[in-house]
Amino acid sequence: MIGFPLGLAGGVLLAVALALGAGFTVSVVFAVLGALLFITGLQLARALGGVHRRLAAVFLGDRTTAPPPLRPEGRLVSRLDARLWDGTGWRSAAYVLAKLPVGCLGAYAVLWWLTGLINLTAPLRWAAFGQQPEPGSPEGMPVLTPIPFGGLDADTFAGTFLAVAIGVATLLCAPWVTRLVTDADRWLIGTLLGPGELADRVRDLEETRALAVDDSVALLRRIERDLHDGAQVRLVAVAMSLDMIRQRLNASESGGTGDGTGDGDSDGASGGVLDVARLRQLVDGAHHNATEALTELRDLARGLHPPVLDDGLPDALATLTARSSIPVDLVTDIPERPTPAIETIAYFCAAELLANVIKHSGARRASITVAQLDGRLLLQVGDDGHGGADAGAGSGLTGLVQRVRTVDGRMDVRSPEGGPTAVTVELPLHA
């Protein structure tokens, strides 16, 4: 009801402004005036578009992101040119003009409600207000219908109950007519009054670029921390053990005690006698630290790119599920091999999700399904656990969502309380 007069007035004003602008631009003398009318019309369309967006947000719950405001720069001619070729303004103008027929349909939808309510009062109007026809009159009490042609009359009091039946039927149909009109209006608002597909795509790319940068920074920090706290410490211990072994060997060869102080071990290397037990202990310690450092470096390298992916994602997932502590059903159907970056992300998503199943879900069985559909790679990990997984609760799922988005992918988590859980990861085949 609010949108009809607003759409009617705004549509008429805009149509007049654009028509006059088009007429003036035909003449060279009045071309500037025509351009100013066009700009005025576009500014009016922007303002009316903002009003309609707010109305849709308040009454329909449809919150459409407003397009960025136009801030032209440069000289006067450049600013006028930017306003004249304002894509958002022209899309708003298209909406305001389309609102004319949609507003009329909205008024027609309101007519269904009014006629239905009026017909419900037909017996009351006949009996209490004396609206029955005069004796001998060829016309009875009119029965209102939203259909613009034809008509019915109630000639008797019993006939008024037919009007009641028509009113009930009209009221039952009125919500469907109203929803049809409002759905059309909401589609127009989302298509013409939003920031536009290009702006949405640019904003999404900006977000994914930021996520990719954050992910790479986090990866570098993790590598630095693992090297600093793990392999580096063990290699320093190996170097110190080897240095102590060298000092004792030098002391044994010279027949002395090294620097006279040693490490406080009075029987370490005295009188040219080599303490084999102490040297064996140092060698064993150095060997242990070197082995642990090698293992940590191998795990770190495997974390960057698992070697099992060299044979493809299906073989890598088969190896992953074979090592699982719970039974896992694996189904793969990948006719076209994805790029290495996509395979790596899919593998890590499967590994992380399977680890979450084992640690947190209490599941007795899990499943991993990988397939291709419409040029996309679909990975689904499910379990029969107690559910309750939430990607927005600061869990490890949040990191997976960010990693997936860096390659324009999506992740859907469906995990009701009581289970089961199904996490679907959708990735492009090529990064």
Side-chain angles (χ1 to χ4, degrees), residues 7 14 16 53 57 70 77 112 144 154 189 240 281 322 376 378 389:
L14 181 61
V16 171
R53 274 195 306 271
L70 181 64
V77 177
W112 283 70
L144 303 179
I189 290 174
M240 293 177 62
Q281 182 182 4
R376 306 279 288 184
L378 297 180

Side-chain angles (χ1 to χ4, degrees), residues 336-426:
E336 179 184 354
R337 184 171 181 177
T339 57
I342 298 299
E343 285 188 331
T344 301
I345 293 177
Y347 177 82
F348 279 121
C349 287
E352 180 69 21
L353 293 173
L354 185 58
N356 287 344
V357 171
I358 296 172
K359 294 179 182 178
H360 308 296
S361 71
R364 292 173 295 180
R365 196 171 193 88
S367 64
I368 297 179
T369 304
V370 186
Q372 289 184 13
L373 180 63
D374 298 332
R376 306 279 288 184
L377 182 69
L378 297 180
L379 166 69
Q380 186 177 77
V381 179
D383 65 74
D384 58 357
H386 52 67
D390 185 5
S395 61
L397 295 177
T398 305
L400 289 183
V401 172
Q402 294 178 351
R403 171 170 285 195
V404 166
R405 288 195 60 193
T406 58
V407 291
D408 200 20
R410 293 189 295 269
M411 189 172 81
D412 178 58
V413 179
R414 297 186 180 181
S415 182
E417 292 293 339
T421 296
V423 181
T424 303
V425 178
E426 182 179 343

Side-chain angles (χ1 to χ4, degrees), residues 238-290:
V238 170
M240 293 177 62
S241 298
L242 293 176
D243 184 63
M244 295 175 64
I245 293 173
R246 184 183 60 183
Q247 291 181 9
R248 292 178 180 273
L249 290 175
N250 290 337
S252 175
E253 291 177 355
S254 62
T257 60
D259 58 1
T261 59
D263 58 355
D265 206 357
S266 60
D267 58 350
S270 171
V273 178
L274 190 63
D275 189 349
V276 178
R278 178 58 176 164
L279 289 178
R280 184 181 298 276
Q281 182 182 4
L282 293 173
V283 171
D284 290 341
H287 180 267
H288 174 74
N289 287 325

Side-chain angles (χ1 to χ4, degrees), residues 283-350:
V283 171
D284 290 341
H287 180 267
H288 174 74
N289 287 325
T291 303
E292 292 294 328
L294 183 61
T295 302
E296 292 176 0
L297 290 174
R298 185 182 297 113
D299 293 339
L300 183 61
R302 186 181 297 111
L304 298 176
H305 181 78
V308 291
L309 283 175
D310 294 340
D311 296 328
L313 184 60
D315 292 342
L317 293 178
T319 304
L320 177 67
T321 55
R323 297 174 179 173
S324 174
S325 59
I326 64 173
V328 181
D329 299 324
L330 176 64
V331 178
T332 58
D333 182 15
I334 312 176
E336 179 184 354
R337 184 171 181 177
T339 57
I342 298 299
E343 285 188 331
T344 301
I345 293 177
Y347 177 82
F348 279 121
C349 287

Side-chain angles (χ1 to χ4, degrees), residues 18-97:
L18 294 181
L20 290 176
F24 281 121
T25 53
V26 176
S27 173
V28 178
V29 179
F30 298 102
V32 176
L33 180 58
L36 291 177
L37 286 173
F38 271 125
I39 293 173
T40 302
L42 295 179
Q43 294 301 308
L44 174 63
R46 268 183 170 263
L48 290 173
V51 174
H52 285 293
R53 274 195 306 271
R54 286 190 288 273
L55 287 175
V58 172
F59 293 106
L60 302 181
D62 190 8
R63 304 187 181 277
T64 304
T65 304
L70 181 64
R71 295 189 178 91
E73 299 178 352
R75 297 183 178 181
L76 177 61
V77 177
S78 300
R79 293 199 297 270
L80 292 177
D81 184 69
R83 292 186 180 278
L84 188 60
W85 296 103
D86 178 19
T88 300
W90 283 107
R91 286 190 288 108
S92 300
Y95 173 80
V96 174
L97 294 177

